[in-house]
Amino acid sequence: MSLLGSESEEKRTRTDSRPKTRERSWNVQFSGEQSPKTNSTSFRLARLLYGGVLAFMAVDNFRDLEGTIEYAKSNGAPAAETTVPFVTGGLLFGGLGIAAWKLPRLAAGAVATFFVSITPVMHDFWTIEDDQQREGQMIHFLKNIALLGAALAFLRIGQDD
């Protein structure tokens, strides 16, 4: 018996000389047998960059909370005086949580919730008549969708971690 595995694993390794197919390596990669390397340098850098930018966005919103609330009101955000500080706090929590990788599922969930709730209200480019303003809001909308995608990826990785 090996120190690294059972005899059945050794026997399987010796007798299974079939070449690995694309489907087979895909199943190993996504079946939960291999978890993401959350301690790698590139993953740490990704967490710091993503979480740091989100935390900066939240702090910037808090620095001009009155202006942010007024902007939200002008876009028809419901109960802006309450919701803006609440969702901004969620963004700050999420950004810091992802950067530090503390409570990663909760942090990524907070970020995803922020983008799902804010993006269609604050960047509704489809309602704007002026071409230049519509284009600017569409860029913000698409940026937020991309940031939502990253939050969902971190949510999945945090679930496995």
Side-chain angles (χ1 to χ4, degrees):
M1 184 165 173
S2 168
L3 294 174
L4 299 176
S6 68
E7 286 180 54
S8 62
E9 287 175 346
E10 288 177 358
K11 187 182 284 185
R12 201 173 351 147
T13 302
R14 279 184 293 205
T15 60
D16 192 3
S17 59
R18 294 177 294 168
K20 290 187 178 185
T21 63
R22 193 172 229 207
E23 178 183 339
R24 192 166 171 194
S25 63
W26 174 271
N27 289 337
V28 169
Q29 190 175 18
F30 292 100
S31 67
E33 293 178 29
Q34 295 178 352
S35 60
K37 297 178 180 175
T38 57
N39 291 327
S40 69
T41 302
S42 61
F43 186 77
R44 285 183 182 150
L45 180 60
R47 288 189 295 108
L48 290 171
L49 290 172
Y50 184 72
V53 166
L54 297 177
F56 176 81
M57 288 169 54
V59 168
D60 197 45
N61 282 350
F62 277 131
R63 284 189 355 204
D64 184 22
L65 192 55
E66 293 285 324
T68 305
I69 290 171
E70 288 305 314
Y71 182 67
K73 281 182 183 178
S74 73
N75 280 316
E81 297 86 4
T82 306
T83 57
V84 168
F86 180 75
V87 297
T88 300
L91 182 64
L92 180 61
F93 166 78
L96 293 174
I98 289 172
W101 207 238
K102 301 296 181 195
L103 302 171
R105 288 178 66 192
L106 189 58
V111 171
T113 301
F114 173 85
F115 285 115
V116 165
S117 64
I118 294 304
T119 301
V121 174
M122 301 303 288
H123 303 296
D124 55 346
F125 65 91
W126 52 91
T127 65
I128 298 173
E129 297 294 323
D130 181 61
D131 288 342
Q132 193 172 13
Q133 286 182 350
R134 182 176 40 248
E135 184 177 339
Q137 288 303 317
M138 185 173 66
I139 290 168
H140 287 299
F141 181 89
L142 294 173
K143 170 201 52 128
N144 282 8
I145 295 301
L147 291 169
L148 171 62
L152 294 174
F154 280 115
L155 180 63
R156 178 67 174 110
I157 293 167
Q159 186 175 350
D160 288 345
D161 210 23

